[in-house]
Amino acid sequence: MFTTGNTHTVSHHSYSLLVTHTHTHTHTVSQHSYSLQETHTHCLSTFAMLAWLALRVLGLGLCLCAAFLLGYVAFRGSCHYCGVEGEMVPAEDKPGTDHDNLVGGMYLGELRDMLKKYLQDEKIESTVRRVSRTTHPSGSSEGTTLAAEILETFKDLHMDHTWTDSHYATLQFPSRIQRNSLWMVDLQGEVLEEIPLEDPDSYCAYSATGTATGGMVYVNYGRQQDFDWLQSAGVSVVGCVVVMRVGGGVSYAEKVLLAQKAGAGGALIYPDPADIPQDPRRLGLNSYTAISEHVHLGSGDPFTPGFPSFNHTQFPPTQSSGLPVIPAQPISANVASKLLSQLTGPVCPRGWQGRLPYVRCVLGRGFTSADGRRIRMGVYNTMTPVLLNNIFSSLEGRIEPDQYIIMGAQRDAWGPGAVKAGVGTAILLELARTFSNMVQNGFYPRRSLLFVSWDAGDFGNVGATEWLEGYLSMLHLKAVAYFSLDQAVMGKTKSHSITFIKPLYLNSGAYSFTAFGGVPAMELRFNEDSRPYPFVNTPLDTSGRLQEVLGGRLGVVGRSLGELVGLMVLRLAHDHILPLRITTYSHTALQFSAQLNKHSAELQARGLSPQWVFSARGDYSRAAETLQEAILNSDVQDETMTRIYNTRMMRVEYYFLSQYVSVVETPFRHVLHGRGEHTLSALTEHLSLLTSDPRRFNEALFRRQLALFTWTLQGAANALSGDIWNIDNVF
């Protein structure tokens, strides 16, 4: 289990690049282009292929020449050549070379053609239907049946190894005895009215249980800035039940934690029509449907913090600090409308107004009735020990079998889960089948390929996290990259924009791999930019609705996504030197140095010097550039040197895991992508207080934060330099 009690995000230091394409092209894949939303944590320059292949596969003619901070370098220089009909050629590749290195008797170009030949639309479509035929949460008979089917599918593919990785974890489910409920009560606590929950099976896993009674306050999205605004306006939420909208860039877990910190007694979360389409005639959510999501601010089993849940291993009684202590419950738009239409109090600030019918946006705390009524919520979920099964299958590398390229997808779902579990599972199985066929027809992967079906993803990536915890000590030495296929296809778009880079978020299937494990990881998806897919985590997430959203082209779009992932995996499995770009983090450190410079006067007045940060940044930049140059000038046939270079590059993310905080107390130790006071985002936010609110600036805390970041950066520079005689000044 991982947990965090801190709500810092990495968005302050990750960037999005929106490329607008003004020409109209059609392609056999679809009559529309697709929005590729790629969420990343590592400087994989192979993700240059992501940009290239997205344009080629989806028929967009664009010469994109840019370097993406924290993601990948699109090309190692200017775009010197852009081919005809929208084909993009990397700058260092002469037209037609196509990286044709001969490996195992086949060229990379031949392997790409083979991949495209074997990928099949029909199998993806049929697998999505099969996976989403019924609700299949972890521990259910339906979930167990599906796991057995996937295991047999892997076995039938003639893989080199297939096995099951089992864990016992504590999951939370709705009580079979007492349903979660809402009531209006009088001052004496007598029930005046029960408010039916129209979607009674919806719930927030890992909510605190019990009742909460009090006034009601509308808090917009429940973000930190929303609670800050309420405090500045003199609106207290202490002891109240707060009502929050889905979205706003924060997870349910973050919303509930912030409400808890503000003193709220309970939390209700609803989908507002302004954020979630709710017209069933236009493939929108029904107004009587709620959206479920877990509220554990962390990942993994919250009752084995920092340890894997193997074989009922007995640990001292403990639980995650990320578990909330107030009850939380999702409600439908109809229920929210009924509640908020009775609310009185100050008028909402601009931008807080949703689109609920018959609701005048006010903040609360009271109700229009003169009887002093209050709201009471009751949550009666129960904790249940469940046997989890992660299913693995692998194709062993022929030259470096101890280096793994991992692809994974969540298998379980509270509802049918066409998007939540079906699409990812379908693409995973199709990639496994395709690569197995390629091996049988002459492809010899240099490195091993792992295909994983994860259990208990809906509860906070529990299956994947428990596996990470069990193999933490060795994964950074063996895992080349992790590709999350979760929710990989969520819609289509009629626009011609491609969003390449966004920060990984806590609920992402890839987040823990980097933030905790130090493994390069990414998640990508086709996503409609103007109309979000509204059915995730509801009983309406069916293959039929997904097909309607995609215009009947589920198999085709799924195949396109699979082709993108497959082509990147091919490159990673094929090249002698891993195509990792290790210099991009130098720019991140440079940006922070510039911010320190802006505050140099204030820092010096407090006796604080940024000198050591500047020194560490310089050391890292020099080490990264020196290694990059050595790689460019290396002989790729020298197996010893390529192994040394690859090992040093693979460990870059691991180098940025802070060695100065506890893995149990602060599991997401990555200083750039993690969560906690040790991270660059926390340090930057604290630094900004020097000008925005000097009274809140904590000099002792800032000194500690600065020291932790500096020494982590210096440690990364030292490790990247290689031998110790390359680190210190040697005469």
Side-chain angles (χ1 to χ4, degrees), residues 370-438:
D371 54 9
R373 63 177 51 198
R374 299 178 296 167
I375 189 171
R376 174 181 295 164
M377 61 181 295
V379 174
Y380 307 104
N381 305 334
T382 58
M383 297 292 184
T384 304
V386 174
L387 174 64
L388 307 183
N389 290 302
N390 299 321
I391 303 170
F392 285 74
S393 198
S394 68
L395 293 169
E396 196 167 322
R398 301 302 175 90
I399 300 175
E400 297 179 279
D402 60 333
Q403 293 189 350
Y404 313 144
I405 301 158
I406 311 170
M407 291 153 275
Q410 169 184 334
R411 182 178 68 249
D412 63 296
W414 288 321
V419 162
K420 194 65 182 290
V423 170
T425 298
I427 295 173
L428 177 74
L429 294 179
E430 182 59 10
L431 285 171
R433 188 193 65 81
T434 297
F435 278 112
S436 177
N437 283 343
M438 291 174 64

Side-chain angles (χ1 to χ4, degrees), residues 606-618:
R606 297 172 180 268
L608 294 166
S609 171
Q611 173 188 350
W612 295 112
V613 177
F614 298 158
S615 175
R617 180 198 64 79

Side-chain angles (χ1 to χ4, degrees), residues 128-148:
V128 173
R129 287 198 304 268
R130 187 171 90 246
V131 171
S132 60
R133 61 197 168 197
T134 184
T135 298
H136 52 282
S138 295
S140 65
S141 59
E142 296 84 358
T144 301
T145 298
L146 178 60

Side-chain angles (χ1 to χ4, degrees), residues 2-126:
F2 306 158
T3 177
T4 175
N6 191 292
T7 58
H8 292 299
T9 68
V10 301
S11 59
H12 299 86
H13 303 286
S14 298
Y15 297 83
S16 295
L17 178 64
L18 183 65
V19 181
T20 302
H21 174 54
T22 58
H23 304 289
T24 302
H25 293 263
T26 58
H27 191 274
T28 55
V29 171
S30 174
Q31 295 301 311
H32 304 293
S33 63
Y34 288 83
S35 175
L36 178 63
Q37 180 186 2
E38 179 261 307
T39 313
H40 130 282
T41 63
H42 186 267
C43 43
L44 284 173
S45 71
T46 285
F47 291 178
M49 289 186 67
L50 180 59
W52 179 35
L53 295 171
L55 299 173
R56 289 189 68 179
V57 172
L58 302 178
L60 297 180
L62 176 67
C63 177
L64 183 137
C65 312
F68 307 144
L69 178 63
L70 296 184
Y72 53 92
V73 178
F75 307 107
R76 295 177 180 175
S78 299
C79 186
H80 301 309
Y81 176 84
C82 287
V84 296
E85 298 181 355
E87 181 173 350
M88 177 172 285
V89 179
E92 291 189 350
D93 294 350
K94 297 179 181 179
T97 59
D98 203 30
H99 295 286
D100 276 345
N101 297 318
L102 188 64
V103 174
M106 301 190 74
Y107 289 100
L108 183 57
E110 295 177 284
L111 294 174
R112 289 172 178 164
D113 292 339
M114 185 184 289
L115 175 78
K116 296 175 184 179
K117 172 184 175 182
Y118 286 124
L119 278 170
Q120 295 183 13
D121 307 355
E122 298 81 6
K123 287 190 176 294
I124 290 176
E125 187 174 328
S126 63

Side-chain angles (χ1 to χ4, degrees), residues 4 109 135 155 252 255 267 317 450 453 530 569 586 687 730:
T4 175
T135 298
K155 289 180 178 178
Y252 280 25
K255 294 174 189 289
L450 268 64
S453 175
S530 60
V569 169
S586 301
L687 180 65
V730 178

